[in-house]
Amino acid sequence: MFAYIVRRIALIPLTLLGIITLNFMIVQVAPGGPVERVLAQLQGLEASSRLSTNARDVSASTSAGNVYRGGQGLDPELVARVEKQFGFDKPPLERYLLMIKNYVKFDLGESYYRSEKVLDLILAKLPVSISLGLWTTIITYLVSIPLGIRKAVHDGSRFDIASSYVIIIGYAIPAFMLAVVMIVVFSGGEFLDWFPLRGLTSEGWAEMSPISKALDYLWHITMPVIAMTIGGFASLTMLTKNSFLEEIRKQYVLTARAKGLSEHRVLYGHIFRNAMLLVISGFPAALISILFTSAVLIEVIFSLDGLGLLSFESTVNRDYPVIFGSLYIFSLIGLVVNLLSDLTYHLVDRRIDFAARNA
């Protein structure tokens, strides 16, 4: 197993290099980069400043026999200064090699528009996303596992059929749509004003008592967590149910029942460990999936200052250092979590040996 872990760790840098290289190549051909965005803004400002003088300039140039030169564009020296400011005065290969060299040292550069280091920005936003992801993952597991076990025990019953309809309907509702509906209904829209509209804390949170801080935090995070968890129950519940059904039909369960063991002991003493292998070992991957995919739109809708909102704003502003830095950190965390998931499989059931399987 140790050799397998070493091989997996050795593959992480190569995988990161491939991800960064592919995205760097895509960005080079994508239109509307930061230089073009700034130049377009400057051209807009210059054009608006000329609107009030257009008529005078045109009449003066006509009377003098000259051609109007108001639309010739920006000064080439200004364009060169903007390109140098964003580092686009260097060839793409040189910029790529410099980026890889800095990333090896975890120097992710500085944001174009925030005047902060990218790593500091990510670390500052990470607690919000982790908080949201942890609550969502824990609640999803606490509800889905008991529900899946009961559905497996009562397979085909009215409870099983009715609960399946409910969780499938919840799965079919997009999280962002549910979030918008909840805001309209519960956040001072057309109906009730029970929950805050945005943020994770109220004004003056720092001066509150510890209990008031905790209650205020829970008050703010209730709707975002509900919006994210409703759609997550279906897959985990059905996974738990199917895992238990598969184990219930095996020979060792029939043998345990033949020995006179109670159904409770058979279920939780024999079936539980084997059936929960896939569910428990998938916890790290589920948390990362919620952190870096599901939470993006929710953070934007509820104005939660986390990684999702940071990524969204950086994409809109073409803030390439933040985009590439976030991608680098997310990819690294994802690769490490995949390794941890394999190790969790092995810890839950020692019979699973990835090294022997790959040999």
Side-chain angles (χ1 to χ4, degrees):
M1 193 66 182
F2 178 76
Y4 171 77
I5 296 174
V6 172
R7 289 198 302 270
R8 287 289 299 273
I9 293 176
L11 285 174
I12 289 178
L14 296 176
T15 307
L16 282 174
L17 180 64
I19 293 173
I20 294 298
T21 302
L22 178 62
N23 284 271
F24 184 86
M25 293 171 62
I26 293 174
V27 165
Q28 301 312 303
V29 298
V35 174
E36 291 82 359
R37 186 173 183 271
V38 170
L39 293 179
Q41 291 175 347
L42 292 175
Q43 285 178 327
L45 292 174
E46 184 180 85
S48 62
S49 67
R50 291 197 304 262
L51 285 176
S52 60
T53 60
N54 275 354
R56 184 187 61 188
D57 290 343
V58 170
S59 60
S61 61
T62 302
S63 61
N66 296 326
V67 179
Y68 173 59
R69 299 180 180 273
Q72 287 185 334
L74 297 174
D75 184 355
E77 293 184 1
L78 176 60
V79 175
R81 287 201 301 270
V82 173
E83 291 179 344
K84 184 175 182 180
Q85 177 184 352
F86 289 105
F88 282 82
D89 57 325
K90 302 180 179 67
L93 180 59
E94 183 178 348
R95 285 189 281 115
Y96 169 76
L97 295 176
L98 180 62
M99 182 180 68
I100 296 299
K101 177 183 177 181
N102 292 333
Y103 276 23
V104 171
K105 301 180 293 185
F106 272 86
D107 180 6
L108 306 183
E110 186 173 304
S111 170
Y112 288 156
Y113 304 102
R114 297 172 182 260
S115 298
E116 295 183 53
K117 289 187 175 299
V118 174
L119 186 58
D120 294 339
L121 274 173
I122 294 175
L123 294 178
K125 311 297 183 181
L126 193 58
V128 175
S129 296
I130 289 179
S131 174
L132 192 61
L134 275 176
W135 278 112
T136 302
T137 306
I138 290 173
I139 293 175
T140 301
Y141 269 73
L142 289 178
V143 173
S144 297
I145 291 176
L147 180 59
I149 294 175
R150 186 172 180 184
K151 284 173 66 62
V153 173
H154 299 88
D155 183 41
S157 65
R158 291 183 177 179
F159 169 80
D160 179 37
I161 297 173
S163 60
S164 294
Y165 278 118
V166 172
I167 63 174
I168 290 174
I169 291 173
Y171 181 75
I173 300 175
F176 72 89
M177 182 180 296
L178 179 60
V180 172
V181 172
M182 292 176 66
I183 288 175
V184 173
V185 176
F186 298 110
S187 293
E190 297 293 331
F191 301 96
L192 305 172
D193 191 8
W194 289 356
F195 295 97
L197 180 61
R198 56 191 302 160
L200 278 184
T201 56
S202 302
E203 292 184 6
W205 186 81
E207 288 75 27
M208 296 180 182
S209 64
I211 296 179
S212 298
K213 287 183 177 180
L215 293 176
D216 182 74
Y217 165 76
L218 293 174
W219 182 46
H220 280 76
I221 205 172
T222 297
M223 288 207 304
V225 169
I226 290 176
M228 292 179 62
T229 53
I230 293 298
F233 291 142
S235 56
L236 185 58
T237 299
M238 299 310 295
L239 175 63
T240 304
K241 175 189 174 181
N242 294 333
S243 297
F244 271 80
L245 283 177
E246 183 180 354
E247 294 297 324
I248 286 174
R249 300 188 180 101
K250 289 186 176 179
Q251 184 64 40
Y252 74 90
V253 177
L254 299 177
T255 303
R257 287 172 175 168
K259 291 181 179 180
L261 298 179
S262 64
E263 284 296 319
H264 184 274
R265 186 170 180 182
V266 170
L267 183 63
Y268 293 100
H270 293 74
I271 299 176
F272 187 83
R273 179 182 177 183
N274 294 328
M276 290 301 294
L277 175 63
L278 289 175
V279 178
I280 296 176
S281 59
F283 182 88
L287 175 60
I288 293 301
S289 175
I290 292 172
L291 278 176
F292 301 140
T293 56
S294 304
V296 174
L297 286 177
I298 298 300
E299 289 185 12
V300 173
I301 292 172
F302 288 99
S303 298
L304 303 178
D305 197 14
L307 292 175
L309 184 59
L310 175 66
S311 301
F312 174 79
E313 293 177 346
S314 301
T315 303
V316 171
N317 294 326
R318 303 297 193 271
D319 197 347
Y320 287 162
V322 177
I323 295 174
F324 279 110
S326 301
L327 176 66
Y328 179 73
I329 296 297
F330 294 169
S331 302
L332 178 60
I333 293 176
L335 292 170
V336 173
V337 167
N338 283 334
L339 176 58
L340 292 178
S341 296
D342 289 348
L343 295 180
T344 308
Y345 275 109
H346 181 70
L347 292 175
V348 173
D349 190 343
R350 296 286 182 176
R351 294 172 297 178
I352 297 178
D353 190 348
F354 292 97
R357 183 191 67 180
N358 294 331

